[in-house]
Amino acid sequence: MASHRKSRSTGTRVAGIRTPALATAALTSVALLSQTANAAPSDDRPSLEEVEKKVDDLYRQAGSATEKYNAAKEKTSKQRKKVDTLLDDVAKRTQKLNDARTELGSFASAQYRTGASVPETATLLLADSPQDYFDQNQLMNRLTGRQKTAVDDYVTQQSETMKKRREATEGLDTLTDSQNDLKTAKSTVQKKLATARELLSELTAEEKARLAAIEKKKQEEAARKAAELAKQQAAEEAERKRQEEAAQQQGSGSSSGSSKSSTPGSSNGTQAQKALAFAQAQIGKPYVWGATGPGSYDCSGLTQAAWKAAGVTLPRTTYDQVNAGTTVSVSQAQPGDLVFFYDDISHVGLYVGNGKMVHAPKPGAYVREESIFYDGESSIYSVVRPA
């Protein structure tokens, strides 16, 4: 009888219990769904490193847009002054033109009263060329010297007034373009900063702590690189002095002169000291994009104000400041030099010495002193000596 029994599926064991095959399949599906549900949030959400990189990129882009804003603001200001001058000039010339027109009208009326053949004297006041009008009516040879001078003056005034009106119109068009550029740059800065703030606000307390730890590690590495540079610069300075002393002992000025000529400029002079002292006095003041002091600064606003305090006028933007002096190597950097960053030259700081600088870093931060390697050695674009 036993041989007629149907064999039963052995199924599988879960936690020591034999389960049917169908139940096993169901449990497997549940397990897979559970794993998928647990994995979904982490798959969709960017890693902390990705968030950090994204935020850094946004701040950098905001810095670049800030310099474009600064350039557009400066251009707009200059253009507005130019247009105001042109409009004032047009107003004065228009008044002179009206006076000349009135005088010509009185001469034409006088000619008419004397019986001269001037059938359309009144049209003189609207004529494009009074000279042609008088010639066509054969009046020029009848005019007195004063009258001829008045005609010539009117023609000159009319030509100059029309020219200035064209210049003013073109100036207004340029001003409008500059204002549009200013609005675009401002909007770009605001959007970049808003996106960065939004990304940071979505971090948990644990993630923020981890982000702070990553930043601390970067600062430690930057400090290490600064110390290496300071050591290198100290060694080079000691060697330079040794060579000078050796040359003096030998009684030869040529070697000393050669050594001095190989040493970079005079950035460590009085002007550089004044610029550096000013910048260090601003430590603790907030970064505000587009600001030039005295309560807040952006990066180029700080360096411009610092060198202005030393009697040196620098351009407003990093793009122009980078060309406002002599370029030297990082190893030759001296206090007061300008250190520029990134391929788009969107950031600048004032070198202090020992591998450090004073700069206005980014929105939400304050003017501070830190390593020039704060964003890695590769981020340094160039070093420029203004004086």
Side-chain angles (χ1 to χ4, degrees), residues 6-12 18-22:
K6 294 181 178 179
S7 60
R8 298 175 60 185
S9 173
T10 57
T12 58
R18 188 186 299 274
T19 59
L22 185 59

Side-chain angles (χ1 to χ4, degrees), residues 16-307:
I17 302 174
R18 188 186 299 274
T19 59
L22 185 59
T24 300
L27 286 172
T28 302
S29 298
V30 171
L32 288 173
L33 289 171
S34 177
Q35 292 175 5
T36 303
N38 291 334
S42 60
D43 289 342
D44 294 340
R45 189 175 183 184
S47 67
L48 186 61
E49 288 74 16
E50 290 173 335
V51 171
E52 181 199 25
K53 184 179 184 305
K54 182 67 174 177
V55 170
D56 286 347
D57 287 345
L58 285 166
Y59 277 134
R60 194 175 303 165
Q61 291 167 18
S64 180
T66 295
E67 291 307 310
K68 291 179 181 178
Y69 170 84
N70 291 338
K73 185 177 181 181
E74 185 176 41
K75 181 179 179 182
T76 299
S77 178
K78 290 181 179 178
Q79 188 62 26
R80 182 175 287 111
K81 292 179 181 178
K82 180 179 178 180
V83 168
D84 287 344
T85 300
L86 284 169
L87 291 175
D88 185 56
D89 193 11
V90 167
K92 291 178 180 178
R93 289 184 180 280
T94 300
Q95 183 58 50
K96 290 182 179 179
L97 182 63
N98 290 336
D99 292 342
R101 181 183 285 116
T102 300
E103 187 174 13
L104 283 177
S106 65
F107 292 154
S109 297
Q111 290 287 345
Y112 183 75
R113 286 195 300 269
T114 60
S117 176
V118 189
E120 297 179 0
T121 305
T123 61
L124 170 65
L125 302 180
L126 301 176
D128 290 335
S129 175
Q131 182 77 40
D132 291 344
Y133 179 86
F134 275 85
D135 286 343
Q136 290 170 4
N137 288 277
Q138 300 178 346
L139 295 176
M140 283 301 294
N141 58 348
R142 301 180 187 177
L143 298 179
T144 65
R146 180 186 173 190
Q147 291 170 331
K148 289 181 180 179
T149 300
V151 172
D152 292 338
D153 184 54
Y154 180 88
V155 172
T156 300
Q157 291 295 339
Q158 186 182 52
S159 176
E160 288 297 320
T161 301
M162 292 177 65
K163 178 181 176 182
K164 291 298 180 180
R165 283 175 179 170
R166 286 194 298 270
E167 290 180 5
T169 300
E170 292 171 357
L172 286 170
D173 290 340
T174 302
L175 177 59
T176 299
D177 291 341
S178 298
Q179 290 172 329
N180 289 336
D181 291 342
L182 189 63
K183 291 178 181 179
T184 299
K186 181 177 181 179
S187 176
T188 300
V189 174
Q190 292 173 331
K191 288 178 180 178
K192 299 295 182 184
L193 295 180
T195 303
R197 286 193 293 267
E198 183 179 355
L199 285 171
L200 291 173
S201 68
E202 293 174 352
L203 296 179
T204 64
E206 180 183 354
E207 288 173 328
K208 290 179 180 178
R210 286 171 54 199
L211 194 62
I214 292 174
E215 181 62 25
K216 182 179 179 182
K217 187 175 180 179
K218 286 173 61 177
Q219 291 177 354
E220 289 174 349
E221 175 61 16
R224 184 187 68 79
K225 294 290 293 183
E228 287 182 359
L229 177 60
K231 184 177 180 180
Q232 177 186 354
Q233 290 179 326
E236 290 178 354
E237 178 64 14
E239 176 62 18
R240 183 184 67 80
K241 289 182 178 180
R242 187 193 67 77
Q243 291 180 1
E244 287 182 353
E245 290 173 356
Q248 290 174 358
Q249 289 175 358
Q250 294 174 2
S252 172
S254 59
S255 176
S256 176
S258 174
S259 176
K260 288 182 180 179
S261 64
S262 64
T263 301
S266 57
S267 181
N268 59 346
T270 304
Q271 287 180 313
Q273 292 173 1
K274 288 181 179 179
L276 186 55
F278 179 93
Q280 290 175 319
Q282 311 312 307
I283 291 177
K285 293 184 178 180
Y287 174 104
V288 175
W289 63 274
T292 56
S296 58
Y297 298 89
D298 64 16
C299 65
S300 57
L302 176 63
T303 52
Q304 183 188 48
W307 273 99

